[in-house]
Amino acid sequence: MGVNMKKAIIIGSSSGIGMQLAQVMSKDGFVLGLTGRRIELLDSLKDQLPTQAYTKHMDITNTNASIDCLNSLIDEMGGVDLIIVSAGTGYVNKNLEWKLEQETINTNVLGVTAIIDTSIRYFLNKKSGHLAAISSVASLRGSAECPSYNASKAYLSNYLEGIRCKIKKQNLDIAITDIKPGLVDTAMAKGDGLFWIMPLEKVAAQIYTALKKRKDQVYVTKRWAFLGFILKNLPRALYYKI
Ligand SMILES: NC(=O)c1ccc[n+]([C@@H]2O[C@H](COP(=O)([O-])OP(=O)(O)OC[C@H]3O[C@@H](n4cnc5c(N)ncnc54)[C@H](OP(=O)(O)O)[C@@H]3O)[C@@H](O)[C@H]2O)c1
């Protein structure tokens, strides 16, 4: 491996946004660490990539095992520059079934926090690095149909802001990027004829551009930034009606 090769880990890269980002970044020369529960998908992705990749089975809801797994992946790769957290789940849950709420919270809140904290401890120790996580436009308001999903993304964006404040106070060279996509054409965006759904290739390309600029926050795409602004500022009485 060349000494100047950039190295990144993508948590949740067996499908969707994480997998597409892996393809874009590998084409651009990144050596990658790929994690998820579906190890066979990660291994077949690894075989298609033009650069070297390392795969690890990881279920982020098993927090202690995931912390150990992430630390050993970083070691195996000889250190990393960037960690992207794409892992997440969500359900339309009109009946508030506890199993679905629990899985969403365990994954998007508990699991994601364990990964963020492990990554930040590593970057603080080496005094540089870049952490990014995929939140959502859904973080901006509550949802009648998937309340735990929107709430978990609000938690994530707020948590990332907290970590960013902590880093900025210490004036360290560590970037924290909060990525807020609108609807993306992946397994997660369930249902037909969804509003303004975006192709995966476009989304991954825009996310990668924002990562290269080490942005604090990015909406993907710009039209979702506009919708997000309206959503965020809509009076409650109006919001309840839509
Ligand atoms: N699609 C959208 O419209 C949309 C919009 C805004 C934000 N997002 C966010 O984007 C991120 C990626 O989602 P996606 O749309 O690309 O959907 P996806 O294709 O379902 O990808 C989700 C990824 O998360 C991983 N994952 C889920 N639960 C996990 C667990 N317990 N442990 C480890 N990995 C886990 C999955 O891997 P395994 O199943 O192999 O474990 C998979 O690689 C999510 O955080 C999602 O909330 C999506």
Side-chain angles (χ1 to χ4, degrees):
M1 188 189 305
V3 267
N4 292 321
M5 276 189 119
K6 284 266 185 190
K7 290 180 276 180
I9 290 174
I10 308 177
I11 306 291
S13 36
S14 52
S15 63
I17 298 172
M19 189 185 77
Q20 192 69 31
L21 267 175
Q23 280 162 346
V24 170
M25 291 172 63
S26 175
K27 271 194 197 125
D28 206 26
F30 267 87
V31 168
L32 295 173
L34 310 169
T35 80
R37 293 165 301 179
R38 291 169 296 170
I39 189 75
E40 65 292 349
L41 292 181
L42 296 173
D43 285 333
S44 76
L45 172 63
K46 170 187 165 166
D47 291 342
Q48 296 161 30
L49 297 177
T51 53
Q52 192 180 358
Y54 301 73
T55 59
K56 282 255 186 271
H57 175 273
M58 188 196 282
D59 179 344
I60 62 168
T61 64
N62 298 328
T63 51
N64 289 327
S66 298
I67 290 168
D68 291 346
C69 178
L70 178 55
N71 283 328
S72 52
L73 180 57
I74 294 172
D75 273 357
E76 242 177 83
M77 293 176 69
V80 293
D81 310 288
L82 166 64
I83 298 174
I84 303 168
V85 190
S86 189
T89 195
Y91 297 94
V92 171
N93 189 7
K94 292 180 184 167
N95 294 324
L96 301 176
E97 281 174 41
W98 175 238
K99 261 194 139 162
L100 299 182
E101 298 297 77
Q102 190 175 33
E103 185 187 330
T104 305
I105 296 163
N106 282 346
T107 309
N108 299 6
V109 177
L110 207 68
V112 165
T113 305
I115 296 296
I116 291 175
D117 288 1
T118 308
S119 309
I120 293 299
R121 278 195 297 273
Y122 166 69
F123 290 139
L124 283 173
N125 192 41
K126 75 167 194 158
K127 296 191 166 57
S128 70
H130 186 178
L131 171 89
I134 318 278
S135 176
S136 173
V137 168
S139 65
L140 299 173
R141 296 300 287 256
S143 163
E145 298 201 332
C146 21
S148 61
Y149 180 75
N150 284 39
S152 71
K153 294 300 184 181
Y155 168 91
L156 172 56
S157 287
N158 189 301
Y159 199 87
L160 291 171
E161 183 169 59
I163 299 289
R164 194 182 305 111
C165 287
K166 175 182 169 67
I167 302 282
K168 291 215 186 268
K169 274 185 209 294
Q170 295 175 57
N171 233 343
L172 294 168
D173 179 31
I174 299 170
I176 310 287
T177 305
D178 179 356
I179 299 155
K180 292 189 169 99
L183 276 174
V184 190
D185 196 5
T186 70
M188 191 170 288
K190 298 159 187 105
D192 293 324
L194 290 171
F195 180 66
W196 273 2
I197 193 147
M198 303 175 288
L200 202 46
E201 293 73 20
K202 185 174 180 178
V203 168
Q206 290 199 12
I207 292 175
Y208 187 45
T209 301
L211 289 176
K212 283 190 284 190
K213 293 181 181 161
R214 292 169 76 87
K215 284 197 166 190
D216 284 352
Q217 175 179 280
V218 62
Y219 284 91
V220 180
T221 59
K222 284 211 175 73
R223 62 159 61 176
W224 278 98
F226 171 70
L227 188 67
F229 177 82
I230 293 178
L231 263 179
K232 199 172 173 182
N233 292 291
L234 207 62
R236 276 199 300 275
L238 265 179
Y239 185 69
Y240 297 151
K241 289 186 183 147
I242 59 169

